Amino acid sequence: GDSVTQMEGPVTLSEEAFLTINCTYTATGYPSLFWYVQYPGEGLQLLLKATKADDKGSNKGFEATYRKETTSFHLEKGSVQVSDSAVYFCALSDRRKGGSEKLVFGKGMKLTVNP
Amino acid sequence: DAGVIQSPRHEVTEMGQEVTLRCKPISGHDYLFWYRQTMMRGLELLIYFNNNVPIDDSGMPEDRFSAKMPNASFSTLKIQPSEPRDSAVYFCASSPNPAVDTEAFFGQGTRLTVV
């Protein structure tokens, strides 16, 4: 079945450091790919998404590019802030005809950014 | 819209007691999902509904768990009898028609502690 594998961490960075969180997926169809973020005590929120190969999703300085050839959707930010401290989840959904509408999540990676 | 609303936010109960978690999805969303989050297993899909009908309950751990969606604006997840290993954060999420947009909107979760 469909699956997502991502870095699990936890990871601690200093403010203004570069961030990469790796995510790879396995899917038999043509999935849409997502990054969700969970701030302390909150539910998950969509951070960005990409629905087809070579699409780049971006939001709040974060970026991720849908790479079909490497089945990857790595999340990057050039300069992290303390407010980026959260848990980050990579996810996919398979919208092919007859596919499941559910989201499949990775295990999440906790990021702490220190001032 | 106020978003997905879950209640209660926190629940502490004794082993053997019945627990009912509640969810109000975003109006107009056809899909509703129940997830469980633990440190050990991450985010697990328990069950999801389409137009109030359960579509996939393969993630429900055992017969002690049941979920209902009597109408488009309300769903419950019930655990009877509860056990300490059920302690987790339970999230409800809703989504518009996945053929159009598969983003899921999450509630803030219910933190369940079974002692």
Side-chain angles (χ1 to χ4, degrees), chain A residues 69-105:
Chain A
E69 64 276 14
T70 55
T71 61
S72 65
F73 193 54
H74 305 321
L75 182 68
E76 296 183 337
K77 186 173 185 179
S79 177
V80 294
Q81 306 300 312
V82 173
S83 57
D84 294 327
S85 299
V87 181
Y88 293 82
F89 293 88
C90 186
L92 69 80
S93 70
D94 190 346
R95 294 191 297 168
R96 73 187 190 279
K97 185 176 181 180
S100 171
E101 301 95 340
K102 64 187 180 185
L103 278 169
V104 176
F105 285 90

Side-chain angles (χ1 to χ4, degrees), chain B residues 17-112:
Chain B
Q17 296 298 305
E18 177 180 297
V19 175
T20 299
L21 312 181
R22 297 172 175 79
C23 175
K24 181 180 188 305
I26 294 173
S27 176
H29 283 190
D30 292 333
Y31 288 79
L32 184 140
F33 306 83
W34 282 101
Y35 287 89
R36 178 172 68 177
Q37 185 179 38
T38 62
M39 290 290 290
M40 292 296 295
R41 292 187 296 273
L43 201 61
E44 306 171 277
L45 177 66
L46 301 177
I47 184 171
Y48 77 94
F49 296 83
N50 176 21
N51 290 324
N52 314 337
V53 176
I55 301 301
D56 183 352
D57 65 353
S58 60
M60 296 287 261
E62 49 198 275
D63 292 345
R64 296 185 297 106
F65 285 69
S66 62
K68 294 181 180 179
M69 192 165 185
N71 57 62
S73 59
F74 184 65
S75 177
T76 59
L77 178 67
K78 184 177 294 184
I79 308 172
Q80 165 65 6
S82 57
E83 296 182 4
R85 60 192 168 121
D86 301 331
S87 297
V89 181
Y90 291 81
F91 287 102
C92 176
S94 70
S95 179
N97 184 345
V100 176
D101 189 329
T102 53
E103 176 182 350
F105 296 82
F106 282 74
Q108 291 189 299
T110 295
R111 181 175 294 278
L112 173 65

